[in-house]
Structure formats: structure tokens, C-alpha cells
Amino acid sequence: MNFLKRAMLYVTRKKGKSIVLFCILLIMATFVLSGLSIGKATKQAQQNLRQSLGGSFHVWTDYTDNNPYLHKESDEDESGGTGYIMYSTEQLSSDMVKNIRDIAGVKYCDAFDETLLDFEQLSFFKGTIPLEEELGNSTTTVSLWRSEEHNLFTNGVVKLTEGRHITEKDTGKAIICKDLADKNGLGIGDMLKTRSMDGRSMTLEIVGLFTAMETEKIGKNIEGYNKIQNRVFIDIASAILIENTPAVQGFSEVSITINDPEEMDEIIEKVKKTPGFKEDGFTIDTENETYENTASSLESMDKLVIGLLIAAILVSVVILSLILTLWGKSRVRETGVFLSLGIKKTDIIGQYLTEVLLIAIVAFGISFFTSNMVSNRIADVLLQQDIQNKIEEPNDVQQDDIVIESFESTALGGVDNIELSGAENTDYLETDIEVSVSIENLLQLYLVGFVIIIVSVMISSIAVMRLKPREILSRMS
């Protein structure tokens, strides 16, 4: 009779022991499987969080004395006062921006510059702050690499409703607000004549119309050239032709949005290796705080789950080994008889191992259902405990709050005056984790569980298996 048949007969004959061992293995499997499923759910939640929040960093022209390419030129204004113009001869070209955009993991490249241009044929919407007469026909003009990747479009402040976006290959193209176009009787394909403050002029074709999804804050003092309805978007090639100065030969800044904040450092290193990029001419600022603060709860929970999983495995090995050792002492006579009949020790251990595995196969299968019932509750308890600990920590910033920040102010007033959705209200991250036990988790349980059983059976068999048949029989007598 081989050891497989002996194992099956023993399990069916010793019903009491089999039921006890089944319950122990079921409890063990439930906790191990719950830990595996919670760990997987936590990692998935971290991945979803990274994808939803993303990350960003800015490449700026360095306007400090550390930039060897920085130039300062004296500039005398109409009143006789003397100032100076500061610019860098090293600027971000369209080719450099394209190379950055092509880096794996980069989602958007928002390369732009802003200047005031004069549009004599346009009648602009009035602001709340009176303007000097010479600025009456001027507005903020945004020169772009790709308009569809500019933050106003990607964040939903404005939406292209007619025509097309501006691309890096365009020259002499413009996008204006549909309200402004209706006010002036213009549409797609019409021409706009613009002029710089120094008198250089150029004709632009309207290729797109946008709708402002958000308006300026009520009661906010704002110049007419800073109203979102008066904003004009043009291609960077046109801006270079109109300005025709060393100060405008490319972009002085680019905001780079990436898919995964964890790849921030790697992508920044690749940006530094972009052809034409000179590190001493630019500075790089990262914006990863929101992800780091928000992900801290999930990361702490992940470490806690790993610790609990390891503890569950170790406790399972210890308890199972003790129980099998105690039961093994009651089978000394059986072991001695097997050895005296010439049955190999490996066959005897194989029988003991098979007995446990037969019960484990059933217990592990049923644990699929018990783990589904308890894993979500365990996850909620762990996460809430971690959040509570963080709330109790002294911190000037509440880490679980995600505030949708307004855009950076620019030299011309930027878009701080625009009422952004959520800019005044705090949005909260959903911290619930949906845990479900998958077939993959169940297979992992069988693998981990079988290892636990093998180790436990080997430990429990050492005391008896190292004895010879005569020593076993003498102990029995």
C-alpha cells in the first residue's frame, strides 16, 4: 500500500483530528489570503492614485547670476527713467520641447510665453481697471508650442469649440474666444492684424475658437488685457517674428506633466540629457507634494499589511508545527511499525505531508469565500487607523486634503483672476479601498500555504525521524 492511499485512509478514519486540522488551516488561510488580497488592492490603489494625480515639474530660465547666458540691457522709458531688460540667450526651442515631450512617461508639455500685443481691429471686453489710452487695443497674447497641452485647455478653464488647435508646425495662426469673435463679427479663416509695442506687425489667421468655461471672480479688479475672453493664443514662430529680439527666440519656461510621480527623478535626468539643454542656463522645480502627502496613508498601510502577512505566516508555521509535533508523538508506535516493515522514512514523511495537504486543499478553497467576507473590514480598520494616526500628528498642512491650486501668476497678471472650479473649495481624496479576492490571490495562497505545511511537517517530524526503529520500539516499551 503506497503512502498516498495510507494518507487518505488516515484522514477519513481520524475524523476528529481532521476536523480540528481543517479549522486551523481555514483560519490560517483566511488571514493569509486576506493579507495577500489587501496588499494587491493597496498597490492597485497606489497605482490609481499616481495616475489620477500625476506629477509635474517646471523648467525655467535661470534669472540669477549663476546663468552665464544672462544679459541685461539698459532701457529708457518715455518718462526719461532708466531701467533694464533681462533675458537669456539660452532658451527652450520647439525642437527641445518636442524631445522632452517624446520622453516615455511625459503626458503634457506646456511650453508658452506671454506678451502684450496690439490688435487695432478688435473691440475688447472692458476690465474693471481703467487702462492708459495706448493699451486700449492691447491684450495678453500667449505664444504656444501646442495649444492643446496648455494648462488652460488641459485643466478645462477654456475649451476649443470650433476649428483646430495650434501645433508646433504652425506659423501665423491664432485662437481667440468665441465671445470676442462674435463681438467683432469674426470666424474661422478670418485674418487678424497684430502689432508689437515696438511697431512690428504681422497678419494672423484664426484657426480656432475657444469658450471660457470659467469667468473672473465677481468684484475682482482686473485689467481688460487680462480678461480670459480677451486672451489670444498664437504659435511661437509668430511671436518670434513679431518681437524680433534676442529676448524672444524660444520659451523661457515649460511645465511638464508626467503620468507617474514615482518616475519624476528618472524623467528629470532624461530632460537634462536632452540635446541642447544646458543645465547652467535653466532651473528645474518639482511639484510632487500633493502625491507624496496623499499617498503616505496607502504606503503606510502597505507596509503594515506586509508586516501582518509575515507575522501570519510565522505564527501559522509555529502553531501548525506544535500541533503536528504533539500529534506525531501519539503516532510513535505507527512510525516504528512502518520503519520495522522496511518502509522508508521519506515515504512516512510523505504520508504525513499528504494527510495535511489533502485537508489543506479543501480548507484553502473554502477560505476564498471567508476571506472575501473579512478582507474589506480588515482593510477599512487598517486604513482608518493609519488616517487617525496622521490626524493626531502635528502638521501645518492637513495631508488628506487635495486642493486644486490656481495657476501661477505671470508677469502680466497670469490667470490668478480666473475663477477655477474647486479653487475656493477643498476636495478630498476617496480613501476607501475595494478589496476582492482573485484567483491569482488564491493561487498565491496555495503556494504560500503548501510551503508553510511542508516546513511545519518537516519540523514536527525531526524528533521522530532521526530515531532508528529499535530506539522507537524501546521508547514504546
Side-chain angles (χ1 to χ4, degrees):
M1 183 183 298
N2 60 36
F3 71 89
L4 292 175
K5 188 172 182 180
R6 291 198 305 269
M8 294 181 66
L9 291 173
Y10 186 86
V11 169
T12 55
R13 186 173 72 252
K14 300 289 185 178
K15 293 183 176 61
K17 285 186 177 181
S18 298
I19 292 174
V20 172
L21 185 58
F22 171 82
C23 294
I24 293 172
L25 291 173
L26 179 60
I27 295 173
M28 177 195 79
T30 298
F31 281 101
V32 172
L33 187 54
S34 296
L36 291 171
S37 59
I38 293 172
K40 180 182 178 181
T42 303
K43 292 184 183 300
Q44 184 62 48
Q46 289 175 329
Q47 181 179 350
N48 293 340
L49 178 65
R50 294 198 302 267
Q51 292 176 349
S52 61
L53 290 181
S56 64
F57 62 94
H58 299 273
V59 180
W60 311 82
T61 296
D62 188 352
Y63 286 105
T64 69
D65 294 333
N66 298 325
N67 184 355
Y69 313 104
L70 197 65
H71 286 254
K72 295 182 180 180
E73 296 180 357
S74 298
D75 181 42
E76 183 175 337
D77 58 29
E78 297 179 356
S79 61
T82 303
Y84 64 88
I85 298 174
M86 184 168 58
Y87 64 91
S88 175
T89 55
E90 283 298 323
Q91 300 171 26
L92 293 160
S93 66
S94 292
D95 289 339
M96 291 173 64
V97 175
K98 184 180 185 305
N99 289 332
I100 294 174
R101 180 65 176 85
D102 289 340
I103 295 175
V106 173
K107 186 177 182 180
Y108 299 125
C109 258
D110 180 16
F112 69 96
D113 267 318
E114 293 186 357
T115 188
L116 281 178
L117 292 180
D118 187 87
F119 293 85
E120 291 184 355
Q121 71 190 87
L122 291 179
S123 173
F124 291 107
F125 294 98
K126 300 296 183 181
T128 57
I129 298 177
L131 298 176
E132 298 178 5
E133 185 177 350
E134 61 268 21
L135 296 177
N137 294 108
S138 299
T139 191
T140 299
T141 306
V142 185
S143 51
L144 302 158
W145 179 64
R146 290 179 183 172
S147 60
E148 64 180 336
E149 299 195 13
H150 186 52
N151 56 23
L152 291 179
F153 288 94
T154 58
N155 287 284
V157 179
V158 299
K159 181 179 180 181
L160 186 73
T161 52
E162 293 184 32
R164 66 171 179 86
H165 277 288
I166 290 173
T167 71
E168 66 271 24
K169 298 179 180 180
D170 283 328
T171 300
K173 309 300 180 184
I175 297 175
I176 67 173
C177 182
K178 190 175 188 308
D179 293 339
L180 184 64
D182 292 341
K183 179 180 175 67
N184 290 271
L186 298 172
I188 301 295
D190 288 336
M191 309 302 290
L192 290 176
K193 188 174 182 179
T194 183
R195 185 181 61 185
S196 68
M197 296 296 105
D198 294 333
R200 286 178 291 275
S201 62
M202 185 175 183
T203 301
L204 304 170
E205 178 189 359
I206 300 175
V207 296
L209 300 177
F210 71 84
T211 299
M213 309 305 292
E214 308 290 341
T215 58
E216 289 78 12
K217 298 177 182 179
I218 297 176
K220 182 73 175 182
N221 291 329
I222 184 172
E223 301 86 351
Y225 55 72
N226 269 331
K227 289 180 69 67
I228 190 65
Q229 296 96 328
N230 294 336
R231 197 69 51 99
V232 176
F233 299 97
I234 67 173
D235 56 88
I236 185 63
S238 298
I240 294 173
L241 290 173
I242 296 171
E243 293 293 337
N244 193 29
T245 65
V248 183
Q249 294 299 316
F251 301 103
S252 60
E253 72 170 281
V254 56
S255 177
I256 301 163
T257 303
I258 62 177
N259 293 313
D260 191 343
E262 285 195 348
E263 298 178 353
M264 179 81 72
D265 294 337
E266 179 183 350
I267 293 177
I268 288 176
E269 289 304 314
K270 291 181 180 179
V271 169
K272 292 179 180 179
K273 296 177 182 178
T274 300
F277 185 90
K278 293 182 171 61
E279 289 190 51
D280 52 356
F282 300 97
T283 60
I284 298 179
D285 296 327
T286 60
E287 290 185 1
N288 213 23
E289 293 83 0
T290 301
Y291 164 74
E292 291 174 351
N293 292 337
T294 310
S296 60
S297 293
L298 292 176
E299 291 174 353
S300 299
M301 181 177 171
D302 190 31
K303 294 178 181 178
L304 183 59
V305 169
I306 292 174
L308 292 176
L309 184 58
I310 294 174
I313 292 173
L314 294 178
V315 170
S316 299
V317 170
V318 172
I319 294 177
L320 197 57
S321 299
L322 288 175
I323 292 174
L324 294 178
T325 300
L326 291 175
W327 288 355
K329 290 181 179 180
S330 66
R331 303 178 69 176
V332 172
R333 179 183 178 85
E334 179 185 350
T335 303
V337 171
F338 285 154
L339 291 173
S340 64
L341 292 174
I343 298 176
K344 296 178 181 179
K345 290 182 179 181
T346 53
D347 288 342
I348 298 173
I349 295 176
Q351 176 186 336
Y352 295 166
L353 180 60
T354 303
E355 292 168 1
V356 182
L357 291 177
L358 288 173
I359 299 173
I361 291 174
V362 179
F364 290 176
I366 295 177
S367 70
F368 180 86
F369 304 100
T370 57
S371 297
N372 267 315
M373 291 189 293
V374 302
S375 55
N376 269 299
R377 295 194 179 188
I378 294 175
D380 289 342
V381 170
L382 293 177
L383 185 59
Q384 292 303 322
Q385 180 63 39
D386 183 70
I387 293 174
Q388 183 63 33
N389 291 338
K390 292 186 178 299
I391 292 175
E392 293 174 357
E393 291 176 0
N395 197 338
D396 293 336
V397 181
Q398 190 172 348
Q399 295 186 2
D400 291 301
D401 293 351
I402 300 177
V403 180
I404 302 177
E405 298 178 352
S406 60
F407 297 108
E408 294 288 342
S409 177
T410 64
L412 296 174
V415 292
D416 277 350
N417 296 318
I418 301 171
E419 182 75 35
L420 301 178
S421 289
E424 298 294 333
N425 301 315
T426 301
D427 292 342
Y428 294 91
L429 175 70
E430 291 293 336
T431 53
D432 292 336
I433 297 179
E434 291 297 329
V435 183
S436 61
V437 181
S438 65
I439 299 299
E440 178 185 356
N441 295 139
L442 188 60
L443 294 176
Q444 291 173 341
L445 169 65
Y446 274 103
L447 178 61
V448 174
F450 285 175
V451 171
I452 292 174
I453 291 171
I454 292 172
V455 172
S456 301
V457 170
M458 295 301 295
I459 293 174
S460 64
S461 302
I462 290 175
V464 177
M465 288 298 110
R466 63 186 178 88
L467 300 177
K468 296 180 179 179
R470 184 177 297 176
E471 292 173 324
I472 294 175
L473 294 175
S474 65
R475 288 193 177 191
M476 290 170 53
S477 59

